Amino acid sequence: SDDYCTDVKPRILLMGLRRSGKSSIQKVVFHKMSPNETLFLESTNKICRDDIANSSFVNFQIWDFPGQIDFFDPTFDYEMIFRGTGALIFVIDAQDDYVEALARLHLTVSRAFKVNKEINFEVFIHKVDGLSDDHKIETQRDVYQRANDDLADAGLEKIHLSFYLTSIYDHSIFEAFSKVVQKLIPQLPTLENLLNIFISNSGIEKAFLFDVVSKIYIATDSIPVDMQTYELCCDMIDVVFDISCIYGLREFGGGSTYDKESVAIIKLNNTTVLYLKEVTKFLGLVCFLREESFERKGLIDYNFHCFRKAIHEIFEVRTTMLRCHKQHRGL
Ligand code: GDP
């Protein structure tokens, strides 16, 4: 069944000052907009639930300052929203003066923590494409220092903030989003384990389990991630989807052409092979391997079959448990 996805989807809030880059991040990561087109985006001005809910593994909302969020407005039920949130991403524009942003970050984080101690607080130091390498490191150090000083002054040193340097002009935004999402997946160690077993038995160098719509990878094997490999895999997903949008068969008009039959092989001229296969409605596996290993495609496909089955079982077991749990509570 596919409905497990609605139960286990990580819920993410994207917040930050107006013009910090939230809509751009949303459009580039989830709607394939090219970074240059974001120059003409209209600013977000309402609490905005993204429509990706039905097409991606990830579920998220955007909140904007100033604007709709007023913690002092009694009719604004932020508590309910924070309770259901797994990660709060706070976007700070690194090309701008960030004093006001830090004040908002502090207010938001302390409010959210009061309501829900389990939220992961993730700070995106964003638009760093405009900064030199030295300046990037200096900015990260400064933001880290000031944000944590503010928390310490308020006696809130228990709150842990994670920091990422991001830009929509390279893969850093996808990489950061991937890490944020991975923290929200309770089955991550199991997924990593399965990927390790799969690649070592199949002669594969590296494998990523992707949310194919966003190119966020939700798990990979334990070999360290090389940015170039990750970028190649992302590019492959783009190519495959562009081609299947043009030539793919849409049985009921509209909708996605991504289904159980989806598979793609790209041979690069340096004896590397990229191999993509459908795993679930939202997830795909992209493998990176040598041409020699690909000669044993039968073995790889057999191992993949076992891997895919295991993934389905992991998510299905969890849904069943959730469903029982809900019934138990009369929901
Ligand atoms: P929002 O109000 O927070 O939703 O901000 P927008 O997404 O509308 O972005 C405001 C401006 O920042 C736009 O002109 C974007 O093109 C620009 N922007 C967003 N992300 C980046 C980035 O990573 N680098 C650079 N240089 N500009 C960005």
Side-chain angles (χ1 to χ4, degrees), residues 120 158 164 171:
N120 296 334
K158 281 199 297 285
Y164 308 81
H171 286 78

Side-chain angles (χ1 to χ4, degrees), residues 17-24 38-39 41-44 64 95 126-127 129 167-169:
L17 293 186
R18 189 159 291 167
R19 308 297 294 163
S20 58
K22 299 177 297 300
S23 327
S24 308
T38 66
L39 290 167
L41 274 180
E42 293 201 17
S43 208
T44 16
D64 205 30
Q95 292 190 13
H126 190 56
K127 307 192 191 178
D129 49 277
S167 162
I168 53 169
Y169 286 93

Side-chain angles (χ1 to χ4, degrees), residues 28-310:
V28 169
V29 175
F30 295 98
H31 300 276
K32 292 183 183 298
M33 186 181 269
S34 81
N36 289 319
E37 286 174 76
T38 66
L39 290 167
F40 313 107
L41 274 180
E42 293 201 17
S43 208
T44 16
N45 50 19
K46 59 173 188 303
I47 294 184
C48 148
R49 276 187 91 118
D50 198 14
D51 54 7
I52 57 157
N54 293 321
S55 55
S56 166
F57 186 75
V58 186
N59 186 336
F60 81 110
Q61 290 184 22
I62 295 186
W63 281 11
D64 205 30
F65 296 112
Q68 65 285 93
I69 304 169
D70 181 358
F71 289 126
F72 303 100
D73 173 355
T75 62
F76 177 59
D77 193 359
Y78 62 86
E79 294 199 358
M80 193 195 73
I81 298 170
F82 284 144
R83 251 181 252 126
T85 297
L88 191 161
I89 298 177
F90 198 96
V91 184
I92 294 180
D93 181 348
Q95 292 190 13
D96 197 14
D97 173 40
Y98 44 77
V99 173
E100 163 76 6
L102 284 169
R104 282 297 181 171
L105 169 70
H106 181 75
L107 181 66
T108 309
V109 161
S110 41
R111 288 288 165 129
F113 185 73
K114 250 195 211 158
V115 178
N116 178 356
K117 305 260 181 300
E118 306 296 318
I119 295 187
N120 296 334
F121 296 109
E122 317 279 7
V123 183
F124 284 9
I125 302 169
H126 190 56
K127 307 192 191 178
V128 293
D129 49 277
L131 275 52
S132 69
D133 284 347
D134 284 350
H135 196 174
K136 274 185 206 172
I137 294 168
E138 174 55 28
T139 307
Q140 181 167 16
R141 199 201 53 77
D142 189 48
V143 170
Y144 173 92
Q145 190 72 45
R146 293 197 204 194
N148 281 307
D149 284 353
D150 287 349
L151 288 176
D153 290 346
L156 290 170
E157 45 279 274
K158 281 199 297 285
I159 299 182
H160 176 78
L161 307 175
S162 303
F163 297 87
Y164 308 81
L165 293 167
T166 57
S167 162
I168 53 169
Y169 286 93
D170 57 37
H171 286 78
S172 58
I173 191 66
F174 295 96
E175 173 86 4
F177 241 106
S178 299
K179 295 203 172 127
V180 168
V181 171
Q182 283 169 27
K183 285 196 206 168
L184 298 176
I185 301 175
Q187 308 92 329
L188 184 66
T190 316
L191 298 178
E192 288 173 343
N193 229 338
L194 284 171
L195 283 160
N196 281 334
I197 297 168
F198 172 68
I199 67 161
S200 63
N201 289 332
S202 315
I204 289 169
E205 317 252 308
K206 185 92 194 134
F208 295 92
L209 191 58
F210 272 97
D211 175 37
V212 285
V213 161
S214 61
K215 291 175 286 173
I216 289 170
Y217 68 97
I218 71 154
T220 182
D221 56 82
S222 32
I223 295 165
V225 176
D226 163 36
M227 259 319 231
Q228 257 186 325
T229 311
Y230 174 60
E231 286 171 22
L232 273 173
C233 295
C234 288
D235 291 347
M236 175 180 200
I237 294 177
D238 279 340
V239 170
V240 170
F241 273 70
D242 288 349
I243 291 182
S244 56
C245 279
I246 298 171
Y247 299 106
L249 193 72
R250 286 171 202 223
E251 274 178 53
F252 304 105
S256 160
T257 52
Y258 184 70
D259 61 24
K260 288 190 184 62
E261 310 294 320
S262 291
V263 51
I265 300 162
I266 295 182
K267 290 191 177 158
L268 302 177
N269 59 10
N270 62 354
T271 75
T272 303
V273 175
L274 293 169
Y275 190 29
L276 177 149
K277 275 169 95 72
E278 186 262 6
V279 178
T280 74
K281 190 174 156 197
F282 302 131
L283 304 178
L285 188 75
V286 182
C287 306
F288 191 88
L289 66 161
R290 301 270 140 240
E291 220 163 27
E292 308 88 80
S293 313
F294 200 63
E295 283 162 14
R296 289 173 301 165
K297 184 165 173 299
L299 172 74
I300 296 173
D301 285 342
Y302 176 74
N303 288 340
F304 174 79
H305 171 76
C306 303
F307 171 81
R308 185 176 186 279
K309 207 165 143 237

